[in-house]
Amino acid sequence: MAKKQVIEEIKMGAPEYMNTYGDMMTLLLCFFVILFSMSNIDAKKFEAIVVSFSGSLGVLSGGNTLTHEDVIDQGSINDKSNSEVTELDNFKQLEEKIKEYLEQNDLQDKVKVVNEDQGLLLRFQDSILFDQGSASLKSQSNVILKYISDILKSPNFKDKFITVEGHTDNVPIRNSTYSSNWELSVARACNVVRYLIEVQGLNPTRLSAAGYSEYHPVGKNDTVENMGKNRRVDIMIMKSKNFTPIK
């Protein structure tokens, strides 16, 4: 009698246990996706966390460790993120408010408002604040400076630091009061600061004054118009992250 031929079944594909393993991985993925969707993620801090793991798992290239105090400090990350978002919103609203005021008073060509990473920049052409070659504030300049001062006293900005910078064009100045553009630029910045402190009552610890003469122009001194842009006073309302009080 012929022996029965035994035919062994050859199973194809992955082992059966992989099905269970795959289901578990899928459930874990769904779980973490749900957690992620319920969380608050700060892009800057998330990037720092990714960088901190660079190289540690043998997948990414080496990077910095997670020790930068300017990225993550003690306390709640979400609390800090919320405060930063609130401040950004406040600065955006302030920018729009000042621009609206300038348009209503036909001053948009005399004062520029720029919302920068460092803070809100108010750029005054010198003609709105001073006569040519002078550092004495014009009487009509008090109106716009008082308006800015009232904003700086408001709850959202009462603790912000303010820098005042004087700038000139490259035309030399020699008169009985100022022997160079250095003296003129410094005097203009100082007189604006004195007005904010002595007349409007701002806290002196919040203010600084500096003069840069002709050496930080916003354009070339090749035309009358460009020279007028370079003769300016810049008032910067600093954002909190860019200022550390001196103790």
Side-chain angles (χ1 to χ4, degrees):
M1 180 182 293
K3 294 182 178 180
K4 292 183 179 180
Q5 186 178 4
V6 178
I7 300 176
E8 294 183 2
E9 180 181 357
I10 301 175
K11 295 182 178 180
M12 305 297 291
E16 293 181 355
Y17 74 87
M18 289 298 294
N19 293 329
T20 303
Y21 179 78
D23 289 341
M24 181 181 69
M25 291 296 101
T26 302
L27 289 173
L28 284 175
L29 175 62
C30 293
F31 174 71
F32 284 112
V33 168
I34 292 173
L35 286 180
F36 180 82
S37 65
M38 297 171 61
S39 64
N40 238 341
I41 298 297
D42 184 280
K44 185 175 180 181
K45 296 178 177 64
F46 181 76
E47 181 180 358
I49 292 172
V50 172
V51 171
S52 71
F53 281 101
S54 298
S56 61
L57 301 178
V59 177
L60 303 175
S61 59
N64 296 327
T65 60
L66 190 62
T67 57
H68 294 297
E69 294 181 358
D70 59 334
V71 178
I72 296 181
D73 55 10
Q74 297 180 350
S76 169
I77 291 179
N78 285 341
D79 289 345
K80 183 177 180 182
S81 299
N82 291 337
S83 65
E84 289 177 353
V85 170
T86 300
E87 184 180 57
L88 290 175
D89 289 341
N90 290 338
F91 270 83
K92 182 62 179 178
Q93 293 175 17
L94 178 60
E95 176 190 10
E96 295 172 353
K97 181 179 180 180
I98 295 178
K99 284 183 176 179
E100 182 179 356
Y101 171 86
L102 295 175
E103 290 178 1
Q104 292 174 350
N105 292 273
D106 198 25
L107 295 172
Q108 64 271 24
D109 294 332
K110 298 292 185 180
V111 183
K112 301 296 182 184
V113 184
V114 184
N115 197 349
E116 299 182 345
D117 183 65
Q118 186 179 8
L120 190 67
L121 173 65
L122 310 178
R123 176 158 287 162
F124 294 78
Q125 288 189 7
D126 70 333
S127 59
I128 192 174
L129 300 177
F130 308 100
D131 290 323
Q132 185 174 359
S134 171
S136 298
L137 285 168
K138 292 181 177 180
S139 57
Q140 57 264 40
S141 69
N142 296 345
V143 178
I144 179 65
L145 289 179
K146 182 182 185 304
Y147 174 78
I148 300 301
S149 299
D150 290 340
I151 289 175
L152 296 176
K153 297 174 186 176
S154 63
N156 290 335
F157 299 95
K158 64 180 181 179
D159 296 323
K160 304 303 180 188
F161 191 76
I162 305 106
T163 64
V164 182
E165 301 175 352
H167 300 267
T168 69
D169 58 27
N170 64 346
V171 177
I173 180 174
R174 288 185 179 85
N175 57 33
S176 58
T177 307
Y178 307 106
S179 58
S180 74
N181 283 323
W182 282 110
E183 284 86 348
L184 177 62
S185 63
V186 171
R188 286 181 167 182
C190 288
N191 285 344
V192 171
V193 167
R194 285 188 61 188
Y195 174 84
L196 296 177
I197 295 172
E198 297 176 0
V199 179
Q200 295 302 325
L202 293 186
N203 187 339
T205 62
R206 299 175 57 194
L207 293 151
S208 72
Y212 292 94
S213 185
E214 63 193 71
Y215 298 103
H216 289 266
V218 293
K220 294 182 178 179
N221 289 293
D222 53 355
T223 65
V224 174
E225 181 181 1
N226 285 341
M227 293 172 72
K229 293 178 181 179
N230 290 331
R231 296 192 302 270
R232 68 195 192 278
V233 171
D234 289 345
I235 297 178
M236 176 71 80
I237 307 170
M238 303 284 287
K239 293 176 181 175
S240 299
K241 65 177 182 177
N242 296 311
F243 174 67
T244 303
I246 300 174
K247 297 181 180 180

